[in-house]
Amino acid sequence: MTAPSAQALHPADHNHSACIGDALARADAVCAARGARLTALRRRVLELVWTSHKPRGAYAILEDLSQEGGKPVAPLTVYRALEFLVEHGLVHRLESLNAYVGCACPGDGHPGQFLVCERCGTAWEIDDPRITGAIRAAAADHGFHPLRPMVEVRGVCSRCRTTGTASASQETSP
């Protein structure tokens, strides 16, 4: 996968229901291939992560689950489900936001690279081998072995920029 174009970040005809359905089908396939159990709870947590392309915090997911069931859900239950989903490459944890986002290419163990809009909160996953190569080469030059080479780039997406309300510092930052 390569970096999306500005147009691809907000396709006008994006069918999010199909997007969620595809993510769940890919999760079923990844888990079946690995002999892992995608329980009803894990599947529902994955679905809640994919509710939008905005990263979701564990407590937002916990609140949704508690409202759906009419009774409180233990935080540990949600964290265990998220841990399973991360372990199997179905979601990524965005460290800077302490939140989770669905993986666009689940199960292949790629490093995460994300563009995160400061205004609307949407995150786009990119997987540019040039970025991965540059990080690995720079780390090797320093005798360092990266375990989780995740890159999070915060900025303003094309849709938010066209609304004209981004600050000048956001507009000119590299």
Side-chain angles (χ1 to χ4, degrees), residues 9-74:
L9 294 179
H10 288 293
D13 61 349
H14 180 67
N15 179 345
H16 197 64
S17 293
C19 186
I20 293 170
D22 290 346
L24 294 173
R26 288 190 309 259
D28 287 334
V30 166
C31 288
R34 294 181 177 179
R37 257 186 87 217
L38 186 63
T39 64
L41 175 67
R42 291 170 177 166
R43 184 180 180 81
R44 183 62 185 137
V45 169
L46 178 62
E47 190 174 17
L48 289 170
V49 168
W50 275 97
T51 303
S52 76
H53 291 286
K54 296 177 183 180
R56 305 267 336 261
Y59 279 92
I61 294 167
L62 178 69
E63 186 176 316
D64 289 346
L65 288 172
S66 293
Q67 286 178 359
E68 289 173 3
K71 61 181 183 170
V73 175

Side-chain angles (χ1 to χ4, degrees), residues 34 82-91:
R34 294 181 177 179
L82 288 165
E83 183 178 295
F84 172 89
L85 297 172
V86 168
E87 179 183 329
H88 290 283
L90 302 172
V91 301

Side-chain angles (χ1 to χ4, degrees), residues 2-171:
T2 58
S5 69
Q7 297 267 225
L9 294 179
H10 288 293
D13 61 349
H14 180 67
N15 179 345
H16 197 64
S17 293
C19 186
I20 293 170
D22 290 346
L24 294 173
R26 288 190 309 259
D28 287 334
V30 166
C31 288
R34 294 181 177 179
R37 257 186 87 217
L38 186 63
T39 64
L41 175 67
R42 291 170 177 166
R43 184 180 180 81
R44 183 62 185 137
V45 169
L46 178 62
E47 190 174 17
L48 289 170
V49 168
W50 275 97
T51 303
S52 76
H53 291 286
K54 296 177 183 180
R56 305 267 336 261
Y59 279 92
I61 294 167
L62 178 69
E63 186 176 316
D64 289 346
L65 288 172
S66 293
Q67 286 178 359
E68 289 173 3
K71 61 181 183 170
V73 175
L76 187 57
T77 302
V78 173
Y79 279 111
R80 284 184 179 154
L82 288 165
E83 183 178 295
F84 172 89
L85 297 172
V86 168
E87 179 183 329
H88 290 283
L90 302 172
V91 301
H92 293 283
R93 181 173 180 266
L94 298 182
E95 310 260 342
S96 69
L97 299 173
N98 194 23
Y100 300 84
V101 64
C103 179
C105 300
D108 70 2
H110 60 279
Q113 301 159 7
F114 293 90
L115 306 176
V116 182
C117 181
E118 291 276 330
R119 294 224 13 253
C120 69
T122 302
W124 294 270
E125 181 178 358
I126 58 175
D127 185 13
D128 190 323
R130 297 169 299 180
I131 296 169
T132 302
I135 291 169
R136 289 196 173 131
D141 287 348
H142 294 282
F144 186 82
H145 178 74
L147 298 175
R148 288 185 320 240
M150 176 151 327
V151 176
E152 299 175 37
V153 179
R154 300 183 65 109
V156 181
C157 71
S158 60
R159 178 176 287 164
C160 289
R161 285 182 64 153
T162 60
T163 63
T165 56
S167 70
S169 65
Q170 289 173 318
E171 294 281 320

